[in-house]
Amino acid sequence: MTFPQTLHLFCRVVDNYGDIGICWRLARQLQTEHDILVTLWVDDLRSFQRICPEVSLDAEEQKIFGVTIRHWQEQNGMFAPSDIADIVIEFFACDIPPGYIAAMAECDPQPVWLNLEGLTAEEWVEGCHTLPSSHPRLPLTKHFFFPGFTGKTGGLLRESALEAQREDFQSNPTKMTEFLAQFGVTPTEMASTKVSLFCYPHAPVVALFDAWQNSEVALTCLVPEGVASDSIHAFLGTEAKAGAARMRGALTVRVLPFVAQPDYDKLLWACDLNFVRGEDSWVRAQWTGKPFIWHIYPQDENLHHKKLRAFLTRYSADIDSLSTASLCWNGALTANGEEQNDWSALWTGLLAEMPKITQRSADWQQQMLANGDLASNLLQFAVSLRSVAAKN
């Protein structure tokens, strides 16, 4: 009997689409590419349904694309050793049910227990990746597994066919045109600079739109329904529903329906610049090989600014315009206590360095490919733990 055959992944949704987005991609990849029976436990089916329309909101258990989905509720409390998977993953330190943990301790052999952490570029991650942590009461050991940007981390989430799919799509103008046309994008908009916008509500969208309206470069901004709704409404002068669009000056804003994950990848591939947020869309933008600006999930005491700067040090330290725009987009650059928000100057700087930014994006993608993919690296580590346990 080979190891592993089964895997349980626990996800509590904090950032509406980032958490479940990551877990859903990982679950599908483990099932499709590694032939593992995966059960995804998730507490928020409504957010899940936005990125996977096949999800039923009233089902306690359902199977989608080969993955079993369990609605994680308080009543999921009683478990037997036979209920436990070979590998148990808690995403981002969520507390899995105590009854499940107790049943894990009764298993022989015990499952490999991993805490899959959030992605950060901070240097300390390399020293904490794969570290063990003993349970305070039970004879169980959990290991921390960190995604990351170097060979000393778990790498980034990426399906094995993703690069070939991207190259096929981007090398075929007809495919890109047909994809965008279904959302109402006109030939004139196709020929403009295309930007996707996915951000948190506090992003300085109004200031950015003002700069784009007065730019010498025609630009089409494609924004999913529900994103930055107040700012989009102010620009459109009407409700920011899918299908709504308006042109002001050099800028056209078009609202798209909130698409499923595979189509979101295509949207990123079809655009010249992508504004992304959180973790899931941030990682997907890095696999496009195209320029992007990241809106990081906000944390207390501005801890997210430290994480942002750590990433920019790795990604764009030698490209001043990109680093400055990224810091301003996140409210991390101030003068005399005031946020810097001169997006006309920032946009002019970005345009001037866009060839350099584009090359850096392509080089970065190749650098990340060399680190392998998160799912494969995670399974290799799990197998090594089981091998060590079998020898002891």
Side-chain angles (χ1 to χ4, degrees):
M1 184 178 295
T2 60
F3 172 87
Q5 290 188 317
T6 58
L7 182 147
H8 286 186
L9 173 57
F10 289 83
C11 172
R12 287 200 183 278
V13 177
V14 178
D15 178 6
N16 288 341
Y17 311 114
D19 301 318
I20 184 56
I22 294 163
C23 291
W24 181 226
R25 290 189 195 279
L26 177 60
R28 282 185 296 151
Q29 185 180 359
L30 290 167
Q31 189 278 325
T32 302
E33 298 182 15
H34 300 279
D35 199 28
I36 296 173
L37 297 176
V38 179
T39 298
L40 172 58
W41 295 76
V42 58
D43 64 337
D44 183 353
L45 294 179
R46 189 168 298 279
S47 291
F48 192 1
Q49 189 185 59
R50 293 295 301 277
I51 63 169
C52 179
E54 292 82 1
V55 169
S56 172
L57 297 180
D58 56 2
E60 292 188 9
E61 181 174 332
Q62 54 195 300
K63 180 166 281 192
I64 303 173
F65 303 145
V67 176
T68 298
I69 312 298
R70 293 287 301 273
H71 189 191
W72 184 5
Q73 304 176 83
E74 294 303 322
Q75 58 263 39
N76 304 134
M78 300 299 294
F79 299 91
S82 58
D83 298 321
I84 308 304
D86 296 326
I87 300 177
V88 179
I89 301 176
E90 55 186 44
F91 179 70
F92 209 27
C94 65
D95 294 323
I96 62 180
Y100 192 99
I101 296 175
M104 287 167 59
E106 298 178 13
C107 293
D108 186 18
Q110 291 181 348
V112 171
W113 183 12
L114 303 176
N115 177 16
L116 178 59
E117 283 286 351
L119 176 61
T120 179
E122 294 168 290
E123 292 184 358
W124 60 264
V125 166
E126 292 184 346
C128 295
H129 179 54
T130 71
L131 283 183
S133 174
S134 299
H135 192 278
R137 295 180 294 100
L138 300 172
L140 289 169
T141 300
K142 173 169 57 179
H143 287 79
F144 294 93
F145 199 88
F146 283 84
F149 304 101
T150 74
K152 295 181 180 180
T153 67
L156 300 179
L157 192 60
R158 172 181 53 84
E159 301 84 358
S160 61
L162 183 66
E163 182 62 3
Q165 292 169 351
R166 179 190 69 83
E167 291 178 348
D168 176 68
F169 183 82
Q170 291 182 330
S171 65
N172 190 326
T174 300
K175 283 187 177 182
M176 286 197 288
T177 298
E178 290 177 347
F179 173 75
L180 292 177
Q182 68 180 311
F183 303 118
V185 178
T186 68
T188 299
E189 294 165 7
M190 298 276 190
S192 68
T193 296
K194 295 177 291 297
V195 180
S196 74
L197 178 65
F198 189 40
C199 62
Y200 296 110
H202 60 281
V205 174
V206 173
L208 179 62
F209 280 5
D210 287 343
W212 282 347
Q213 288 179 69
N214 298 304
S215 174
E216 296 181 358
V217 176
L219 189 145
T220 299
C221 178
L222 305 173
V223 54
E225 185 177 25
V227 174
S229 297
D230 291 344
S231 298
I232 305 302
H233 180 276
F235 180 88
L236 296 174
T238 186
E239 191 173 355
K241 286 186 175 182
R246 183 172 184 177
M247 181 179 181
R248 289 187 179 182
L251 172 62
T252 299
V253 173
R254 182 171 293 279
V255 182
L256 275 54
F258 205 96
V259 297
Q261 283 184 332
D263 280 346
Y264 183 68
D265 281 327
K266 292 178 181 178
L267 176 63
L268 296 177
W269 296 340
C271 288
D272 303 294
L273 171 66
N274 294 298
F275 284 73
V276 290
R277 79 181 200 191
E279 182 172 330
D280 183 54
S281 62
W282 175 38
V283 171
R284 303 313 279 193
Q286 293 176 61
W287 292 131
T288 68
K290 290 191 171 187
F292 65 90
I293 291 180
W294 176 35
H295 203 198
I296 187 171
Y297 187 78
Q299 293 180 292
D300 293 338
E301 301 180 357
N302 288 330
L303 291 178
H304 57 297
H305 289 170
K306 181 179 180 181
K307 294 181 178 181
L308 172 65
R309 292 178 187 276
F311 176 70
L312 294 176
T313 297
R314 294 184 184 272
Y315 181 71
S316 60
D318 59 338
I319 308 178
D320 291 341
S321 63
L322 182 55
S323 292
T324 301
S326 299
L327 291 169
C328 289
W329 188 242
N330 286 274
L333 200 60
T334 60
N336 299 321
E338 297 292 329
E339 288 186 12
Q340 298 298 287
N341 213 17
D342 183 0
W343 278 94
S344 292
L346 290 167
W347 181 240
T348 299
L350 282 170
L351 284 177
E353 289 200 285
M354 195 56 70
K356 185 176 182 180
I357 297 170
T358 301
Q359 184 60 54
R360 175 54 176 155
S361 301
D363 292 343
W364 178 262
Q365 183 213 33
Q366 292 301 308
Q367 185 179 332
M368 295 303 101
L369 285 171
N371 295 329
D373 72 274
L374 178 70
S376 298
N377 293 339
L378 184 149
L379 288 180
Q380 289 174 8
F381 178 63
V383 170
S384 70
L385 289 178
R386 175 55 64 90
S387 177
V388 170
K391 292 178 181 178
N392 294 336

